[in-house]
Each structure stands twice: as structure tokens, then as C-alpha cells.
Amino acid sequence: MTISGSSTRRALLGVSCSLAALCAGGSAWAQSETATGPATLQEIVVTGARRAQTVLVEERQATGVVDAVAVGDVSLNPQTTIADLAKRLPGVSVSQDQGRNQSATGEAQYVAIRGFDTSFNAYTLDGLRLPQTAGGRSISLNLFSPFAIQTIGIEKTPDATLDADAIAGIVNLVTPTAFDFGDQMLRLRAVGQMAELAEDRGQDSLGGAVGVDMARRFADGRLGVYASAYYEQKDSAAESVAVQNDYKTSRANVGSTRENENALSADGLQWNFFNSTVERYGATASLDYRTQPLDLFARVNYATYTNTNTMNQTGLRSERTSGQTNPNPGGANYNAAGDYTPYGINPANYFRVEDVEQELLSVQTGGKLRFGDFTASLEAAYADGRLDSPNTIEAAWRGVAYNGATGNTGASTEGLKLDLSDPRWPMPVLSAGATAYVASQDRPSQIYVQQGYGYLSEVKKTVKGDLTWAGSGVLASASVGGLYETADQDGRSLAPDDTRYRFRTSLQAGTVDGPSIGATPGRLITDFMDHGTVRPVKLVDRRFVENERDLYGSTVVVSQEKLNQGLSDSREDRTAAFAAATLKLAGGALEITPGVRYEDNHFEARFFVKDADGARFATADRDYDHVDPSVIAAWRPSDALVVRAAARSSYSRPAGSQLAGPTTVSRDPVTNAVISISQPNPDLKPVEGWSYDLGLEWYAVGSNLQLAVYHKDLDNIVVPTALRTGTSKTSDGVILIKPFNGLGGSATGIEMGGRYVLPVDGWMDGLSLGGNLTYQQTEAEYRLSSTDIRKSDLPQAPELMYNLEAGYEHGSLRASLWYNYTGRRLDTVQDSQPDIYIQPSKELNLGVALTLAPGLEVGAAVRNLTDEPTRWSTVGAGERYVSPDRKGGYLETGRIFQVSVNATF
């Protein structure tokens, strides 16, 4: 379902009648508001064609374009996350934070509009700008539950009254109020879930959620109170396969891997198993007072999300250990004929915990006063958000490699070769001796245990207001307003490598012998990804590793300098002012909203640096402002037709963590050599953009059709990169991860969507078909060096996205069959290696609901009915080479089965 809307968002995105109630059946209340009068109420019976027609009326009356989806229908939707439901909307795709094991939950986190980087969005809760707690401008939506949020609105053409630092658009989450229901309402919603993959592997697989909310109106309907509370807990599992390191060229002396992306070889293999326990809970309350001259409101929202997770990795590494020699000429990885021929096969195990805790508290209060032809509004808000990674625990097991020689010493005769003919399941090619060696659980031994942490919080305070004059001629209204916003961030982190406790093994010195993987408590998984693995996947007991951390990790002394390196604090101030007007021409058929917005930004940060001038705390600050004009127009030549157009300027602010903060270093666990370095870039400029939209909409009873074209021009785009240092620019160099400004980019696309209710009688009455499609061409130009300038797709921008949906509503039965497709998208730009891509994602969902009695409905639903992978990342645009594990590899989370009950009193 989509709703197109104007810039006066609260009434529209609240959608008059509760969309949660619209989906659930029963009755709701529609609310409309004018610039000169109070809200008027009319009862709407929420059934079939009347429900669709009410939404279409809201669409037609708007000036700009906003797409919206209701999220509270637990009877039909097997998703209990906001982001997963948002991808039903045209041009919306989703992603996860691969760095914190979040993709393994099977839940989406981030929302991209038309495929633009998620940092190009502004994120609001009931119009309040949300705090940043992920280190960037993107907001992780897994914190929010459909039990607390009523509607997700995607504003694609924001006018001058809304935030200008939103090149892609604005994602607005709307909570219910008492005025979205009748005089009183009490509702109970509950779901139970089972994760099929976890159940098949003998892991914890069950979960559920319960939510209760109520609404009541007093004082002749002028005073309304709404309150809700919810709790959710669920377990799941995931499996993935990935390669160990960067790919190598299959032939010697042929240039970089990027120049030979159809002839590459992998030098290691990983099988990863994930366990996740997700917990959400929170509460929402609102108080509203509405009269002819005065509206007052207060809202409080509290939400918590935790993910307690583990990853167990079993791998085969292409490497030799002490005492083993390489027979290749010069000790290279290529034989005399120039073929890639590595020696040494080392079985390895790795354990990782990346627990995540998120929390948000927001308070909003404000009001609107009408006097004569004027309306004045004022609002103040406070929001406190945090992202805490309290447990980043790692442990590794490594031992002597198998090299085919007697006693595994001396000249090597065997090495690890991988069969890459099946891109979803690379397989090792091993001799009988190598197979027996790597299958044994007597090896390897544990070499270290370590723990780090990360914490980031932001407190955001906002005051905003506006004054609007309403007229009756060509100048229908004029408004001025402004905003002042402060954001204070506090961050601290400690890299796990800085706390490493080393056990005594044949590879390294230590005071305590590390246990073998076989002697480590846990269990084996043999039916991995429905394949047999040559080396069983070991699921290490988390409590055992935590005990090691407590026992041995406490003996590691971390210097004050290391602790200081992870400290940072910053402050950001944003001041905005706008002026806008509404012009009505051609007898009111043509509505034009011109406006201009000015935003001024100041950023300052304090962090620890170590360079040629010594180790110390340093400060950095940036100032930049932006003027953004816009024109939004809607022409309605008939009751059935609407033509929309928009042209607007916008920008995107660099995140504080991109501008200033500590440099982090990742090292090899055995050699201690530097593998990668991540650092900010204080010279980043804001991304600037111009957007142009043109749309045509047609409405009829039971049906609608929408068609739109758009174009965006971008300057100073920020490109995520992975650069290798060193004069040779080979894949063996140190990887430098650093954001920088590209030269420019553009996107041109077309969107279409619609819904059609079949005009049939009998048992087929209530059958509808719908869907939407977005097709676009994007281009980005960026500079990796003074001599290396490239053109590519915009990161995270798929060429094709579409949804198909069949709905049924007849008598007491409702059903929905929904298919989502998101095309291939660029993930990371690399220099000497081919770029990382995410292959197309597909998902088919089925939901059926049955009304047992008035106000009582039960449902059953299945997510990912066809058992498609959750993420499939590759090196290069094709499917041939699966990516390394930190980029996702080929990952499956399986089907989710759900039952539900929805009772309204």
C-alpha cells in the first residue's frame, strides 16, 4: 500500500484512520485538518473498497509525494522489524551492518530510498530527528517494533519546511494517538515464531512477541490518551560460506586481480555458523488536546534492542608454518609454469561474539495556535540514544599446517586448492592424507582469547516553530519558520587486538597451554548448509570462552595510551530557517509550493591522536552552510488525474565519525602484522545534490496507477573504499579503509505501481493484485589517486527493484502473497581487487488470517517461503567469486514460521 502526501505530515502520515486498524479490520476514525480549523472526525467502516478508496483520497489531495506502509498487521506479516516492512514500498531497499553479525539475524536494519546510500536519508520519529548511534548518518531501524510504530512514511520530495540534508528523502516513523481510534480501544496482539534452520540444526529456534495498547478520549472528544507496551524475544541461526582472503590471479605476472577478474584463485575457505537471540521491548505514550483555536500534544517513546550473538568459524587456510619450505621458484605462490600453486593446508577455528545493545528515549511536546488567518506552532524535543557493544569477544585455534611431507616438515608437496565451479559452495580439493589431517579435532590448539568494546551515545535537543498565514486567493498560504538543534556525542572503544592473551602452542610462546579444539566444550554440526564439510563445524560453548576471558584476559595490561585512543566526544549544532508559500492557480486545480531553506552547521570534536608530534588529545572543527531552494507542484485537471512535479536542492552532512576520531588497526593473530587500517577523513565535504521528479497518477474506484520519473545530480559523493598500500599495489598490501569525496554522480530512474481490485462476485470477491517497480541507471565518478579516476554505479543503488502482491479479503478470511526483488548493488569500491557487490535478493512471504469473532483474529504466516539466501556478496559483479566473510559471503537464515492472535475490545 502506498500513500502520496503533502508536506503537512502529521495528519497525513498518521493517516487519519489508523492504518494498523485498517489492516486488522473493524472501525477506525478518519481525521482531517485545515490551516484555519480544528480536526473534524468521521467514522469509517474499514472494509474492502471503502478502505482503499479512503487512502486514495488522501493520495490525490496531496502536493508532494510520500509513500507509506502500515506495520502493525501481525496477522499477515511474518516480519517483526520496521525495515523489512518498508521494502514493500516502491524504490525502497534494505541492508544490514555486516561488521556486527547483524545480517545473521535475518533482519534488515537500514532503509535506502531509490538505492541511495542510507546516509542520504533524514530519519524522524513523529517529525523528531533521531539521534545517531551507529557512527554515521544512517539510523538502524531494528530498534523499533511494529507494536509501537503505526506507519512508515517515505518522503521523496520534501519541501522547504522539512530538513534539507536529505538527498534521498526522509524516513518518518509515526506512532499512534488516541485520535486514530474511536472513543476508546483496548488491543492485544501476540505472535509466536519458529526459525526453521535453527530447528533443523538442533539450536534454540523459538520466539514470540506480545503487545498491548489502549486509547481513550475524554472531555467531549477533545482530550485523548494513548499508551502501549511490547516485548519480543526470538532465537535464530544462520550459516554462511566465504573465502578467507583476497583472491589471487591464477597466473603469474599478469597484473592485478582487478585486471584479471575472470581468472582468479582463492587461498582459503571458511564455514561460519551464527546463533542470535534478539530482544526488543519498549513503551509509547501520547497525550493530545484539540480544540478550535488550540492543539497541544506530548509524546514519550522508549525502545530497547539487544542481540546476543555468537559466530563459530571452521576454516582451511592456505599457509605454511615454521619448518616448512616452498618448492616454487623464489618461494612464490606460482610454480615454474606460472600457475597459482600454494603450499600448506592449515585447519583453523575462530570464535566471535559481537553483542549489540541499542536504546532510545525521546520526549516531544508542543502545540499549535490559530488566530484569525494565522497559525503558529512551536515544538521542543529531547532524544537520547546509545549503541553499546559491551562484548566483542574473540578466540582462535591455529596449529601446524599439513604440507604433504613426512612429519609436516621440510619441502612441501601439497597445498590448498579450491574448486570454484559452484559459486554458492566452493569446495576444497584434498588428497586422502590432507582430508584425514584437517578432519581431526585433535588439532589445532587455541592461540588466544581477547575482548574489546565499543560505545557511542548521542543526546539531541531540538526547538522548532513556524508561523503560517492562510489566504483565499492565488496566494493560498505563506509560512516562515526555523529550527535549532544540538547533538552531543560521547564515544569510547577498545580494539580486541589490544587485549590479546596468548596461549602456549607450537607456534608461539606463552605460559598456559591452549586446549585443542576437540578438548574445547561444544558440539559439532555435520549437516552444514545441507552439504557435508570435510572438517566438521565446531560450535564452541560461549560460557567456556567467557570464563577464559575472565581468567586470563584480566592479566593483560592495557596501556593508558591504548585506552585514550578509543575516546572521543563531539558536538554538532544545526540552525535552519525557511520561507515557503502555496499558490493556487487555474481555479485551484494547480497547486505550487515554492520555498527556500537555509541550514548552518558547526561540528567540533576532541579525540586522541598519535603522530610525528607525539601522542595527545587533539581537537577538530568544521563549519559549513547550505541554501536549498525547492518548488513542488500538483495539477489536478480532473477527479481521476493528478500530475506532480518537483525540483529541489539538498545536501548530506559528513558524519562525525567520518570527520574525526581514532584510527583502528587490525593485525594477524600469529605474525602480528598489520592487515588493515581504518581512519576518518577531516577533509570531507558535504555531498550536494539537485533532484527532479515528475509523476502521473490515475485514480478510480478500487484501482489506481502511479508513474514517475526522476533524476538526481550529485557532487562530492562519499565513496566507501578499500585501498592497498605499497608500491606494488598487490592484494597482499595493507588495506586502508577511509572515506573520501568522489567527483560526482547521477541517477535517472522510473517508478511505477498500482493496485487493482478484480470486479468479480462470489467467493472471488475481494481479490486484488498490486505491485510496484523501480528501474534506474546510476553513475559515480571517483578518484582513487591522481592517476586513477573511475566510473561506476553509485554504491548501494540497485538497477531494478520490484514488489508483487496478491491480496484476498472476503468475509472472515484475509490473505496476502508478497514477493520482493532487489537487484544487484555495489557494496565497496576497491583498488587492485575487483569491487564487492551484493547479488540480487529475493523473498516470498505468505500470510493468512481468519476472524473468529468480532474483534478476534488469528493468523499464520511464513517468511522466505522459497528459502532464498539473506545475503550473497561477491568479488566482482558476477556470481563467480564469493566474497570474504566480513563482506557476508553466501549467507542463509532460512524460513520463519509464525502464528498470531489479534484481539480488539
Side-chain angles (χ1 to χ4, degrees), residues 548-565:
E548 285 188 325
R549 172 206 59 189
D550 296 338
L551 184 61
Y552 303 115
S554 60
T555 66
V556 178
V557 177
V558 180
S559 68
Q560 187 62 47
E561 182 177 299
K562 289 291 186 182
L563 295 174
N564 288 343
Q565 287 178 6

Side-chain angles (χ1 to χ4, degrees), residues 55-56 89 95 158 189 270 304 307 316 320 351 385 401 427 474 524 552 639 643 655 688-689 699 785-786 843 887 894:
V55 172
L56 296 180
L89 296 171
S95 59
R189 290 171 288 177
Q270 300 172 350
T304 294
N307 177 19
L316 299 178
R320 297 175 308 281
F351 172 91
M427 294 184 63
V474 173
L524 298 178
Y552 303 115
D639 289 340
V643 180
E688 299 178 325
Y699 299 92
S785 70
S786 59
E843 187 175 278
K887 292 299 181 180

Side-chain angles (χ1 to χ4, degrees), residues 653-718:
R653 295 178 286 169
S657 61
Q658 293 177 315
L659 292 170
T663 295
T664 58
V665 179
S666 176
R667 296 178 180 273
D668 184 271
V670 175
T671 66
N672 208 39
V674 175
I675 299 172
S676 65
I677 300 173
S678 298
Q679 59 184 210
N681 182 357
D683 297 323
L684 280 180
K685 303 175 184 177
V687 185
E688 299 178 325
W690 271 94
S691 302
Y692 309 93
D693 292 75
L694 180 64
L696 177 67
E697 301 168 8
W698 173 79
Y699 299 92
V701 176
S703 303
N704 74 297
L705 180 66
Q706 298 173 326
L707 177 66
V709 293
Y710 60 89
H711 177 79
K712 291 182 185 288
D713 285 317
L714 305 178
D715 289 317
N716 303 325
I717 60 173
V718 177

Side-chain angles (χ1 to χ4, degrees), residues 71 80-82 141-149 230 232 280:
V71 298
T80 55
T81 64
I82 295 296
L141 299 184
N142 58 10
L143 176 66
F144 301 98
S145 168
F147 290 94
I149 302 299
Y230 63 92
E232 177 183 8
R280 291 184 185 88

Side-chain angles (χ1 to χ4, degrees), residues 319-321 323-328 342-344 402-405 408-415:
E319 61 186 15
R320 297 175 308 281
T321 50
Q324 299 175 350
T325 59
N326 185 350
N328 285 330
Y343 284 97
Y402 178 86
N403 75 337
N408 290 310
T409 60
S412 303
T413 61
E414 293 187 42

Side-chain angles (χ1 to χ4, degrees), residues 519-593:
T520 302
R523 58 167 296 184
L524 298 178
I525 295 289
T526 55
D527 188 22
F528 184 86
M529 296 186 78
D530 298 323
H531 292 275
T533 54
V534 65
R535 178 174 173 79
V537 176
K538 180 69 176 282
L539 305 189
V540 173
D541 190 321
R542 172 171 170 152
R543 292 168 298 180
F544 175 79
V545 179
E546 289 176 332
N547 184 64
E548 285 188 325
R549 172 206 59 189
D550 296 338
L551 184 61
Y552 303 115
S554 60
T555 66
V556 178
V557 177
V558 180
S559 68
Q560 187 62 47
E561 182 177 299
K562 289 291 186 182
L563 295 174
N564 288 343
Q565 287 178 6
L567 299 178
S568 65
D569 61 80
S570 64
R571 178 184 175 94
E572 190 170 31
D573 298 300
R574 181 167 65 105
T575 305
F578 71 84
T582 300
L583 307 177
K584 290 193 175 181
L585 306 171
L590 176 60
E591 184 175 339
I592 303 175
T593 305

Side-chain angles (χ1 to χ4, degrees), residues 59-82:
E59 289 186 351
R60 183 186 176 280
Q61 292 176 346
T63 303
V65 175
V66 62
D67 296 319
V69 64
V71 298
D73 188 2
V74 298
S75 299
L76 292 184
N77 294 328
Q79 296 84 3
T80 55
T81 64
I82 295 296

